[in-house]
Amino acid sequence: MATSQSDFKRQPAIVILDFGSQYSELIARRIRETEVYSLVMSYRTSAEELRRLAPKGIILSGGPNSVYAEGAPVCDQAIWNLGIPILGVCYGMQLMMHQLGGRVESAVGRAEYGKAPLYVDNPTELFTNVESGSTMWMSHGDSVLALPQDFICLAHTLNTTNAAVASHNRRLYGVQFHPEVVHSTHGMIIIRNFVYHICDCEPDWTTAAFIQESITRVRTQVGEKRVLLALSGGVDSSTLAFLLHKAIGDQLTCMFIDQGFMRKGEPEFLVEFFDHKFHINVEYINARERFISKLKGITDPEQKRKIIGTEFIRVFEEESIRLGPFDYLAQGTLYPDVIESAGTNLDPKTGERVAVKIKSHHNVGGLPKDLQFKLVEPLRNLFKDEVRKVGRSLGLPEEIVKRHPFPGPGLAIRILGEVTDEKLNCLRDADLIVREEINEAGLYESIWQAFAVLLPIRSVGVMGDQRTYSWPIVVRCVSSEDGMTADWSRLPFETIEKISTRIVNEVEGINRVVLDVTSKPPGTIEWE
Ligand code: XMP
C-alpha cells in the first residue's frame, strides 16, 4: 500500500512511516489538508533513503503490534540521529521510547480506547493553542512508563501519565493518542503545529498543485501511448476522465458500456456531456440486449451479480480489441478501495501490507486483474471528498461532483428476483421521482444515497373503481460517512408523501410505496 518514492517526482515535505495502522493514510490526508505534500512509505525505509529524500519532518504511524513483542516492526535506529523532526503517533511514540531507552509495558487495567480528555502540562511547540482538557482519541493497550534521557512529559490523561512527550533538543515528539481522527477535537492544531512550527513547511500542496503534478506524472508514465478508461459516469471515473483528457488529450479513449441498468436519461446525459460538450472521446457501447438476455430466468442475487460481472468483462475485452490496441488502462481507484484490499498485517520481508481478499461484491462491475494493460491510477491516494475537490477544480459540474454512489450492476440489483424490461422501466420511473423530490426538498447533499427498489411480489390495491394487483416500491434513503455503516434518513413527512403519491399516480405497475427504516448494520444499503 505504501507508495514507492519512484512514483513521485516531488520530494515529500513530510514522510509518514507506515507501521500498519488503519489510520496511516488518514495522517497523510490530514497533512494534505494543511496544504503540505506528504508520502506514506514502508517503516523499513532506511535512514540513508530518508536523508536522500530530505523531508522536513517524519511521522511514525500507529500500528497493531506491541513494541516489545517478537517480530514487531522497528525502524532503522539511525533515523533518530538524522536531525529531522520526528513525531511518533501511538505505536510510533512507543517505538521511539523503546528504541531510545525508555520503558513500554502493557497498561494492565489502564488501557484506553475511545475519547479521553487530555491535560496539557507543557503548552509549548506541539501544544501551542491546544486547549487543556480537550478530547483526544485513544486506542492503546500499552503505555510508556519511563522516558528516555532528555525527554519530558508534555501532557497526560487520567489513565496515561505520558500521553505526549518530547525531547526539544533532539526535536523528537510523541503522542499516545491519534490527532488525525476526527474525534480528537484539537488534533488538527497539533498536526499544524508539527508541520508549520516544528518542521517549518511551506503551504504549497493544493488541489491545483495535485492536478499539475498528476498531469506531469501521467504524461511521463504513458508517453505517446494510448489509454483506455471504463467510464461509468460516477464522480471517480468522471474526474479521472477530465484529468486524463487534460494530460493526454486524444490519447485517451473512454469506453462507456450501457448494460441497460442505468438510471433514467443517464446514458444520453453522459454521451452528451463528455463527448459533445467537452469533446472527450467516448465510445458508447449499447450492450443492453446482451445483458438482459443473459439474466432471463435468473433470480438468485449472487448469480445475477456474477453473470453481470462476467458479461461486463467480455464486452470490455471485445470492445478494447476492436478499439485498440491500448497499452494502459486508467482506473478511478481511490484510497478506500486500496485499504479494502490491504490488511493491517505487514509482510516481515518487504514491510508492505499483506493483501486480503476483496469483498466479493465490490469486484463485480470491475475488471479482472490479469488484463494485459499497465495501470494508470492517479487518484489512488485520495479520499472521496478530495476527489470531489479535484473534479470541481477541473470544471466538472456539481451535478456530477455531488453524485450519490451507484453500484456497478446498477438497477439490476435493485430489482429483486428476475430482471425484465418491464420492471426496469417501472423502477427507472420510480427512481427518478425519488431523486426529483429529494432534490426539490433540498435534501440531496445531506443524504448519502436515495433510491427506489422494486419488489417482485404483488398485492391488492384500488385505483378509481378498479382493483389493482401490482408491485410495491421501497424507498431507501440513508445517511453515511463512507457506506460501511449507515442510518436511514429521517425524511420530512411532506417529502415522503409527495414521493408516495407521485409514484402510485405516475408509475404504471406500482400500487404501493413503503419506506425502509433499517440501519446498516443489520441491513445493507442495497437490497439485492
Ligand atoms: P451495501 O449494500 O453492501 O453497499 O451496504 C455499500 C455501498 O456499496 C455500494 N455497492 C456497490 N458499488 N459495485 C459498486 O461499485 C457494486 O457491485 C456495489 N454493490 C454495492 C452501495 O451502493 C453502497 O454505496
Side-chain angles (χ1 to χ4, degrees), residues 364-385:
V364 179
L367 296 167
K369 298 281 168 265
D370 55 358
L371 284 177
Q372 298 304 306
F373 296 108
K374 285 170 254 176
L375 291 180
V376 179
E377 297 181 303
L379 309 177
R380 66 179 280 125
N381 289 328
L382 302 190
F383 287 80
K384 193 89 175 179
D385 59 323

Side-chain angles (χ1 to χ4, degrees), residues 305 361-362 364 405-409 413-414 448-449 483 520 524-526:
R305 277 182 172 278
H361 81 237
H362 289 112
V364 179
F406 187 67
I413 61 165
R414 293 180 179 168
W448 172 264
Q449 273 172 288
K520 172 185 178 177
T524 48
I525 295 177
E526 303 291 344

Side-chain angles (χ1 to χ4, degrees), residues 326-388:
F326 296 97
D327 290 87
Y328 289 91
L329 178 67
Q331 288 198 320
T333 316
L334 306 194
Y335 183 66
D337 309 325
V338 178
I339 28 174
E340 282 261 299
S341 60
T344 48
N345 289 335
L346 300 174
D347 183 323
K349 287 206 186 85
T350 61
E352 299 289 327
R353 293 187 177 226
V354 180
V356 293
K357 198 173 171 304
I358 304 172
K359 272 195 268 170
S360 92
H361 81 237
H362 289 112
N363 276 335
V364 179
L367 296 167
K369 298 281 168 265
D370 55 358
L371 284 177
Q372 298 304 306
F373 296 108
K374 285 170 254 176
L375 291 180
V376 179
E377 297 181 303
L379 309 177
R380 66 179 280 125
N381 289 328
L382 302 190
F383 287 80
K384 193 89 175 179
D385 59 323
E386 294 180 301
V387 174
R388 290 203 166 102

Side-chain angles (χ1 to χ4, degrees), residues 27-46:
I27 301 177
R29 181 232 155 95
R30 295 292 179 232
I31 306 288
R32 289 200 290 274
E33 278 176 31
T34 69
E35 303 196 334
V36 168
Y37 182 52
S38 71
L39 188 57
V40 178
M41 300 179 76
S42 163
Y43 71 91
R44 291 163 63 99
T45 308
S46 68

Side-chain angles (χ1 to χ4, degrees), residues 388-462:
R388 290 203 166 102
K389 270 195 204 157
V390 171
R392 206 171 264 133
S393 171
L394 285 164
L396 268 185
E398 289 300 295
E399 194 179 346
I400 289 187
V401 169
K402 288 189 186 146
R403 245 164 208 219
H404 290 167
F406 187 67
L411 300 184
I413 61 165
R414 293 180 179 168
I415 292 171
L416 275 65
E418 187 184 9
V419 180
T420 62
D421 278 324
E422 189 192 2
K423 288 179 190 155
L424 276 168
N425 287 335
C426 268
L427 183 59
R428 260 191 210 108
D429 289 342
D431 177 77
L432 181 64
I433 292 172
V434 173
R435 279 186 296 146
E436 280 177 352
E437 291 304 328
I438 293 291
N439 257 325
E440 178 70 25
L443 298 170
Y444 190 85
E445 280 180 53
S446 59
I447 288 176
W448 172 264
Q449 273 172 288
F451 56 91
V453 175
L454 188 144
L455 302 187
I457 42 168
R458 292 181 193 269
S459 70
V460 173
V462 55

